[in-house]
C-alpha cells in the first residue's frame, strides 16, 4: 500500500490525546492518518477527572452535551486523616473556561464519542493493528515505518514486511512508553518517583447501591494504606489503593482480596467489577516536545504524572490543542514555520509544573510515616483549609512581551463568558467563533487600520467589542478585563492570552506583534532523524 502524496499529519497512537489531535485537525479539513497498534479501542477507563479546559475543548468538538449525560460535576473533594476523620474539604473554585471547575467521567464513553466523531470526518483515516517502528525525516516530509502488531506477543511483528507512510508532520501520541520518543532520541527526565497502585472500577448493581456511595472524590490519607474513592461519571465508581512495599500484584487479581479491600463500602453482590489493574505511577517529562522541524510529542509520550491532581490527560489535551491550531495555520500557509517552535517552549514548563504539583499533592496525601501523618492532620485541621495552588502559565513562546499590565496576562488561561451577538446567545466560542479573538472593553474602537484588520482576519481573527457587536451578558469578560486594567486582550485559538494592553491606542501594536510572530519563518534546522527499531527486516 502507499500513496504518492504525503499526508499532512500522521498521528501515532489513538489514546484520548491522539484522538483529540485527530479530531481538531480533521475538523479543520487537515488530511490526517492515525496509526494505532491495537485493532480495537482499549475500552477500559484510566482517567476519571477532567477539568474546565477539557470541557471547552469538548465544546469545540461538539461533544460536551453528549458527555454531560454521564459526566458528573465535582462539587467537593474531601481528605480523611490517619484517624479516619475529615482533615480538609476542598471546595471547587470558580473556573474561567465557562464550565464547572472539574467533572468525573467514564473514559470509554469519551473515547467512543471521539471515535464516532472521527468516523464522520472525511479527511481523517484510522489505521488500526499496525505499530510505528521507524521514523526518517526528510527536508519536506517524514517517512514512518509500520509493522503489523502482534497482540498476543504485545509487540510489532518485525519479521513481517515493513510498510511506509509519508506525512509532512508527525505527532507522537503513543503514551508513556512512547516508541516515537525513543525513535526521535528525546530523553525523558524521570523524577525517580515510582508507586504501584491497584485501580478498580465498579458498576453498582442498582440506583440504591449507587446512592449509598459518595458522589464526590474522597482521599483516605491513612499511612497504613493510602487510598481514594471517587465517582467516575454518574454510574461508575473508582477506588485506588496503594500497594505496600513487597505486596504481590497478582494477589490483587483474586476476587476475595478485592472484595476484602472494598468491604467498608460494598458486598460482592452489590456491584460488578468493570476492571481491576495494578498501575505503576511515575513522573517524567521529555527534554523537548519537538525533534527536528516536523516531529512532535503530545500527551503521556511527552509527560507522565501520578494522577493525584487528575491532570495527566488534561495536560495532553492542552498539547493536542496547542499543536493542532499551529499545524493548521502552517499547513494552510497562513503562518510561518517558527510558530511550531513555540509549541514545546510553551507546553513543556506548563506540563512540568503540573507534574511537580501532582508529586507535591501525593507526598502530602500519601504520607506513610504515622508520626508525619498525624502532624499533617493536625496542621491541616488547624489551618481550616488549603489555598489552591496557582495554575501555571505557559512557558515562553508566542506572546506580546510588554503589555503594560501587571501582573502580566501573557500565557494565562482566558475567560469564556456568556455573550449575545447578532441574535445568538450562549458561550463566547459558540457565539463569536473560534480562532484568535481581540476582545475590547467598552465597545472599542479597535483603532485597527483596514489592512491590519484584514491581516488579523486572514489568520482566523475576530473582533469582539463588548457593548458594541457583542453583549457581555454575564459580565464575566468585562469583569476579567477590568480586574487586570486591560482595555483589550488578544486570546489565541488555544484559549491562552497572547497579550493585553491598558490603552486602546496600543491595540494596533498588539495586533501587529501578533501578525509578525505568527508569520515568522524558522531557520532551517540542520538536525535530521533516521531511526528504525532494531532488527526490522526491510523487504
Ligand atoms: C489509574 C490512572 C488514573 C488516571 N486519572 C487521571 C485523571 O483523573 N485525569 C487525567 O487527566 N488523567 C488521568 N490519568 C492519566 C491519563 O490516563 C493519561 O494521561 C492519558 O491516558 C494519556 O493519554 P495519551 O493519549 O497520551 O496516551 P495513551 O492513553 O497511553 O494512548 C497511547 C496510545 O498509543 C498506542 N501506541 C503505543 N505505541 C504505539 C506504536 N508504536 N504504534 C502505534 N500505536 C502505539 C497505544 O496502544 C495507545 O492506544 C490517569 C492514569 C491512570 C493510569
Amino acid at each position: 500500500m502507499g500513496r504518492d502524496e504525503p499526508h499532512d499529519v500522521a498521528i501515532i497512537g489513538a489514546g484520548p490525546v491522539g484522538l483529540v489531535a485527530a479530531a481538531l485537525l480533521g475538523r479543520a479539513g487537515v488530511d490526517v492518518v492515525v496509526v494505532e497498534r491495537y485493532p480495537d479501542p482499549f475500552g477500559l477507563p484510566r482517567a476519571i477527572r477532567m477539568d474546565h479546559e477539557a470541557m471547552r475543548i469538548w465544546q469545540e468538538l461538539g461533544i460536551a452535551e453528549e458527555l454531560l449525560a454521564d459526566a458528573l460535576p465535582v462539587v467537593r473533594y474531601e481528605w480523611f486523616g490517619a484517624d479516619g476523620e475529615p482533615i480538609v474539604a476542598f471546595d471547587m473554585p470558580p473556573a474561567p473556561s465557562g464550565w464547572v471547575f472539574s467533572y468525573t467521567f467514564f473514559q470509554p464513553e469519551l473515547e467512543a464519542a471521539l471515535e464516532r466523531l472521527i468516523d464522520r470526518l472525511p479527511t481523517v483515516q484510522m489505521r488500526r493493528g499496525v505499530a510505528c517502528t521507524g521514523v526518517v525525516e526528510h527536508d519536506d516530509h517524514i517517512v514512518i515505518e509500520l509493522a503489523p502488531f502482534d497482540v498476543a506477543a504485545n509487540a510489532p511483528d518485525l519479521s513481517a514486511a515493513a510498510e511506509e507512510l509519508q506525512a509532512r508532520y508527525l505527532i507522537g501520541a503513543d503514551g508513556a512508553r512512547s516508541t516515537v520518543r525513543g525513535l526521535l532520541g528525546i530523553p525523558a527526565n524521570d523524577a525517580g518517583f515510582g508507586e504501584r497502585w491497584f485501580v478498580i472500577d465498579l458498576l453498582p448493581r442498582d440506583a440504591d447501591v449507587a446512592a449509598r456511595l459518595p458522589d464526590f472524590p474522597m482521599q483516605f490519607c491513612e499511612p497504613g494504606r493510602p487510598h481514594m474513592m471517587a465517582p467516575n461519571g454518574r454510574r461508575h465508581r473508582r477506588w485506588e489503593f496503594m500497594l505496600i512495599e513487597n505486596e504481590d500484584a497478582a494477589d490483587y487479581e483474586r476476587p476475595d482480596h478485592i472484595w476484602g479491600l472494598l468491604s467498608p463500602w460494598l458486598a460482592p453482590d452489590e456491584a460488578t467489577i468493570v476492571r481491576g489493574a495494578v498501575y505503576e505511577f511515575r513522573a517524567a517529562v521529555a527534554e523537548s516536545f519537538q525533534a527536528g522541524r516536523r516531529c512532535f510529542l503530545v500527551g503521556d509520550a511527552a509527560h507522565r504524572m501520578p494522577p493525584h491532581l487528575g491532570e495527566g490527560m488534561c495536560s495532553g489535551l492542552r498539547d493536542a490543542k496547542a499543536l493542532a491550531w499551529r499545524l493548521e495555520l502552517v499547513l494552510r500557509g497562513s503562518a510561518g514555520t517558527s510558530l511550531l517552535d513555540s509549541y514545546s517552549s510553551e507546553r513543556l514548563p506548563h506540563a512540568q509544573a503540573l507534574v511537580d504539583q501532582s508529586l507535591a499533592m501525593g507526598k502530602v496525601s500519601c504520607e506513610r510515616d504515622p508520626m508525619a501523618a498525624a502532624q499533617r492532620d493536625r496542621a491541616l485541621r488547624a489551618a481550616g483549609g488549603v489555598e489552591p495552588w496557582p495554575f501555571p502559565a505557559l512557558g515562553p513562546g508566542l506572546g506580546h512581551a510588554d503589555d503594560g499590565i501587571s501582573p502580566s496576562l501573557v500565557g494565562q488561561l482566558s475567560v469564556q463568558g456568556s455573550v449575545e451577538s447578532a441574535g445568538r446567545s450562549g458561550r463566547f466560542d459558540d457565539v463569536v467563533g473560534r480562532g484568535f479573538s481581540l476582545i475590547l472593553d467598552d465597545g472599542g474602537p479597535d483603532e485597527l487600520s483596514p489592512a491590519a484588520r484584514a491581516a488579523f482576519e486572514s489568520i482566523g481573527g475576530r473582533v469582539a467589542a463588548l457593548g458594541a457587536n457583542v453583549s457581555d451578558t454575564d459580565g464575566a469578560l468585562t469583569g476579567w478585563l477590568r480586574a487586570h486594567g486591560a482595555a483589550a486582550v488578544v486570546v489565541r485559538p488555544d484559549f491562552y492570552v497572547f497579550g493585553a494592553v491598558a490603552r486602546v491606542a496600543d491595540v494596533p501594536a498588539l495586533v501587529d506583534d501578533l501578525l509578525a510572530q505568527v508569520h515568522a519563518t524558522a531557520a532551517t534546522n540542520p538536525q535530521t532523524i533516521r531511526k528504525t527499531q532494531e532488527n526490522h527486516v526491510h523487504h
Side-chain angles (χ1 to χ4, degrees), residues 49 73-78 89-95 100-102 217:
R49 182 252 176 198
V74 177
V75 284
R76 61 199 268 118
Y77 172 36
E78 267 192 49
F90 301 82
D91 289 322
M92 293 298 120
V100 169
F101 187 76
S102 64

Side-chain angles (χ1 to χ4, degrees), residues 12-19 35-38 42 45-50 105 107 111 128 130-133 149 156 173-180 199 238 240 279-281 298-301 303 305 307 309-316 533:
I12 312 302
V17 177
L19 291 175
V35 173
E36 166 57 49
R37 62 187 174 180
Y38 289 121
F42 187 57
R46 286 91 73 209
I48 58 169
R49 182 252 176 198
M50 59 191 180
F105 72 108
Q107 189 170 352
E111 285 172 359
R128 285 191 168 274
V130 280
C132 166
T133 55
F149 191 71
D174 54 341
R177 295 195 178 84
S178 172
T179 303
V180 173
V199 176
R238 156 76 56 91
E240 296 177 7
Y279 276 91
E280 183 166 25
F281 294 157
V298 294
D300 278 18
H303 44 73
M305 63 189 82
L309 280 184
E311 274 293 332
M313 180 193 75
C314 297
S315 296
Q533 269 187 8

Side-chain angles (χ1 to χ4, degrees), residues 9 72 75 171-173 289 294 319 327 352 377 380 404 491 494 505:
V9 180
L72 186 67
V75 284
I171 302 181
F289 295 179
R294 300 181 171 274
D319 301 338
L327 284 172
Q352 179 73 60
D377 294 355
L380 285 174
V491 176
D494 53 13

